[in-house]
Coordinates of all heavy atoms in Angstrom, one line a residue:
G153 N 163.1 114.0 84.1 CA 162.0 114.2 83.3 C 162.0 115.5 82.5 O 162.3 116.5 83.1
G154 N 161.8 115.4 81.2 CA 161.7 116.5 80.4 C 160.5 117.3 80.6 O 159.4 116.8 80.5
I155 N 160.6 118.6 80.9 CA 159.3 119.4 81.1 C 158.8 120.1 79.8 O 157.6 120.1 79.5 CB 159.7 120.5 82.1 CG1 160.0 119.8 83.5 CG2 158.5 121.4 82.3 CD1 159.0 118.9 84.1
K156 N 159.8 120.5 79.0 CA 159.4 121.3 77.7 C 159.1 120.2 76.7 O 159.8 119.2 76.5 CB 160.4 122.2 77.3 CG 160.6 123.4 78.3 CD 161.5 124.5 77.8 CE 161.6 125.6 78.8 NZ 160.4 126.4 79.0
S157 N 158.1 120.5 75.8 CA 157.8 119.5 74.7 C 158.9 119.4 73.7 O 158.9 118.3 73.0 CB 156.5 119.9 74.0 OG 156.7 121.2 73.5
K158 N 159.8 120.3 73.6 CA 160.9 120.2 72.6 C 161.9 119.2 73.0 O 162.8 118.8 72.2 CB 161.5 121.6 72.4 CG 162.1 122.2 73.6 CD 162.6 123.7 73.3 CE 163.3 124.3 74.5 NZ 163.7 125.7 74.1
T159 N 162.0 118.8 74.3 CA 163.0 117.7 74.7 C 162.3 116.4 74.4 O 161.2 116.2 74.6 CB 163.3 117.8 76.2 OG1 162.1 117.7 77.0 CG2 164.0 119.2 76.5
A160 N 163.2 115.4 74.0 CA 162.8 114.1 73.8 C 163.6 113.1 74.7 O 164.6 113.4 75.1 CB 163.1 113.8 72.3
V161 N 163.0 111.9 74.8 CA 163.6 110.9 75.6 C 165.0 110.6 74.8 O 165.0 110.4 73.7 CB 162.7 109.6 75.6 CG1 163.5 108.5 76.2 CG2 161.5 109.9 76.5
G162 N 166.0 110.5 75.7 CA 167.4 110.3 75.2 C 168.2 111.5 75.0 O 169.4 111.4 74.8
D163 N 167.5 112.7 75.1 CA 168.3 113.9 75.0 C 169.1 114.1 76.3 O 168.9 113.7 77.3 CB 167.3 115.1 74.9 CG 166.7 115.3 73.5 OD1 167.1 114.5 72.6 OD2 165.9 116.2 73.3
L164 N 170.2 114.9 76.1 CA 171.1 115.3 77.2 C 170.8 116.7 77.6 O 170.6 117.6 76.7 CB 172.5 115.1 76.8 CG 173.0 113.6 76.4 CD1 174.4 113.7 75.9 CD2 172.9 112.8 77.6
I165 N 170.8 116.9 79.0 CA 170.7 118.3 79.5 C 171.9 118.6 80.3 O 172.2 117.9 81.3 CB 169.3 118.5 80.2 CG1 168.1 118.2 79.3 CG2 169.3 119.8 80.9 CD1 166.8 118.4 80.0
L166 N 172.5 119.7 80.0 CA 173.6 120.1 80.8 C 173.1 121.3 81.6 O 173.1 122.4 81.1 CB 174.8 120.6 79.9 CG 176.1 120.8 80.5 CD1 176.7 119.6 81.2 CD2 177.1 121.3 79.5
P167 N 172.8 121.2 82.9 CA 172.2 122.2 83.6 C 173.2 123.3 84.0 O 174.3 123.0 84.4 CB 171.6 121.5 84.9 CG 172.5 120.3 85.1 CD 172.9 119.9 83.7
I168 N 172.7 124.5 83.8 CA 173.5 125.7 84.2 C 173.2 126.2 85.6 O 173.9 126.9 86.3 CB 173.4 126.8 83.3 CG1 171.9 127.2 83.1 CG2 173.9 126.5 81.9 CD1 171.6 128.5 82.3
A169 N 172.1 125.6 86.2 CA 171.7 125.9 87.6 C 170.5 124.9 87.9 O 169.9 124.3 87.0 CB 171.2 127.4 87.7
A170 N 170.2 124.9 89.2 CA 169.1 124.0 89.7 C 168.3 124.8 90.7 O 168.8 125.6 91.5 CB 169.6 122.8 90.3
I171 N 167.0 124.6 90.7 CA 166.1 125.2 91.7 C 165.9 124.3 92.8 O 165.6 123.1 92.6 CB 164.7 125.6 91.0 CG1 164.9 126.6 89.9 CG2 163.7 126.1 92.0 CD1 163.7 127.0 89.0
R172 N 166.1 124.9 94.0 CA 166.1 124.0 95.2 C 164.7 123.9 95.8 O 164.3 124.4 96.7 CB 167.0 124.7 96.3 CG 168.4 124.9 95.8 CD 169.2 125.9 96.7 NE 169.0 125.6 98.1 CZ 169.2 126.5 99.1 NH1 169.7 127.6 98.7 NH2 169.0 126.2 100.3
G173 N 163.9 123.0 95.1 CA 162.6 122.7 95.6 C 162.5 121.5 96.5 O 161.5 121.1 96.9
E174 N 163.7 120.9 96.9 CA 163.7 119.7 97.6 C 163.7 119.8 99.1 O 163.3 118.9 99.9 CB 164.9 118.8 97.2 CG 166.1 119.5 96.6 CD 166.8 120.5 97.6 OE1 167.8 120.0 98.3 OE2 166.5 121.6 97.6
G175 N 164.1 121.0 99.6 CA 164.1 121.2 101.0 C 165.5 120.8 101.7 O 165.9 121.4 102.7
T176 N 166.1 119.7 101.2 CA 167.2 119.2 102.0 C 168.4 120.2 102.0 O 169.1 120.4 103.0 CB 167.7 117.9 101.2 OG1 166.8 116.9 101.2 CG2 169.0 117.4 101.9
S177 N 168.6 121.0 100.9 CA 169.6 121.9 100.8 C 169.4 123.1 101.8 O 170.4 123.9 102.1 CB 169.8 122.4 99.4 OG 168.6 123.0 98.9
N178 N 168.2 123.2 102.3 CA 167.9 124.3 103.2 C 168.7 124.1 104.6 O 168.9 125.1 105.4 CB 166.5 124.5 103.6 CG 165.7 125.0 102.4 OD1 166.2 125.6 101.5 ND2 164.4 124.8 102.4
D179 N 169.2 122.9 104.8 CA 170.0 122.6 106.0 C 171.4 123.1 105.8 O 172.2 123.0 106.7 CB 169.9 121.1 106.3 CG 168.6 120.6 106.9 OD1 167.9 121.5 107.6 OD2 168.2 119.5 106.7
Y180 N 171.7 123.4 104.6 CA 173.1 123.8 104.3 C 173.3 125.4 104.0 O 174.2 126.0 104.4 CB 173.6 123.1 103.1 CG 173.7 121.6 103.3 CD1 172.7 120.7 103.3 CD2 175.0 121.1 103.7 CE1 172.7 119.4 103.6 CE2 175.1 119.7 104.0 CZ 174.0 118.9 103.9 OH 174.1 117.6 104.2
F181 N 172.2 125.9 103.3 CA 172.2 127.4 103.0 C 170.8 128.0 103.0 O 169.8 127.3 102.9 CB 172.8 127.5 101.5 CG 174.3 127.2 101.3 CD1 174.6 126.1 100.6 CD2 175.2 128.1 101.9 CE1 175.9 125.8 100.4 CE2 176.6 127.8 101.6 CZ 177.0 126.7 100.9
P182 N 170.8 129.3 103.2 CA 169.5 130.0 103.2 C 168.9 129.8 101.7 O 169.6 129.6 100.8 CB 169.8 131.4 103.4 CG 171.1 131.4 104.2 CD 171.8 130.2 103.6
P183 N 167.6 129.9 101.6 CA 166.9 129.7 100.3 C 167.4 130.6 99.2 O 167.3 130.2 98.0 CB 165.5 130.0 100.7 CG 165.3 129.8 102.1 CD 166.7 130.2 102.7
E184 N 168.0 131.8 99.5 CA 168.4 132.6 98.4 C 169.7 132.3 97.8 O 170.1 132.9 96.7 CB 168.4 134.2 98.9 CG 169.4 134.4 100.0 CD 168.8 134.3 101.4 OE1 167.7 133.6 101.5 OE2 169.3 134.9 102.3
V185 N 170.4 131.3 98.3 CA 171.7 130.9 97.7 C 171.4 130.0 96.6 O 170.8 129.0 96.7 CB 172.6 130.2 98.8 CG1 173.9 129.8 98.2 CG2 172.8 131.1 100.0
P186 N 171.9 130.3 95.4 CA 171.6 129.5 94.2 C 172.4 128.2 94.2 O 173.5 128.1 94.8 CB 172.0 130.4 93.0 CG 173.1 131.3 93.6 CD 172.7 131.5 95.0
A187 N 171.8 127.2 93.5 CA 172.5 125.9 93.4 C 173.1 125.9 92.0 O 172.5 125.8 91.0 CB 171.5 124.8 93.5
L188 N 174.5 126.0 92.0 CA 175.2 126.1 90.7 C 176.4 125.1 90.6 O 176.9 124.7 91.6 CB 175.8 127.6 90.6 CG 174.9 128.7 90.7 CD1 175.8 130.1 90.8 CD2 174.0 128.8 89.6
P189 N 176.6 124.6 89.3 CA 177.7 123.7 89.2 C 179.0 124.5 89.1 O 179.0 125.7 88.9 CB 177.3 123.0 87.8 CG 176.6 124.1 87.1 CD 175.9 124.9 88.1

């Protein structure tokens, strides 16, 4: 889902990082470890 109004349906987003709001990743790393590609 696009959060900013400047993004449009059909746009591509190449993430440089992700924020771990899901909780699942906490079983793998402490919260301060960034999620990076």
Side-chain angles (χ1 to χ4, degrees):
I155 298 302
K156 295 185 179 296
S157 58
K158 61 185 178 183
T159 60
V161 170
D163 282 359
L164 296 171
I165 295 180
L166 190 62
I168 57 175
I171 296 176
R172 297 165 50 197
E174 22 68 87
T176 301
S177 59
N178 292 340
D179 287 328
Y180 295 81
F181 289 111
E184 62 268 22
V185 178
L188 302 173

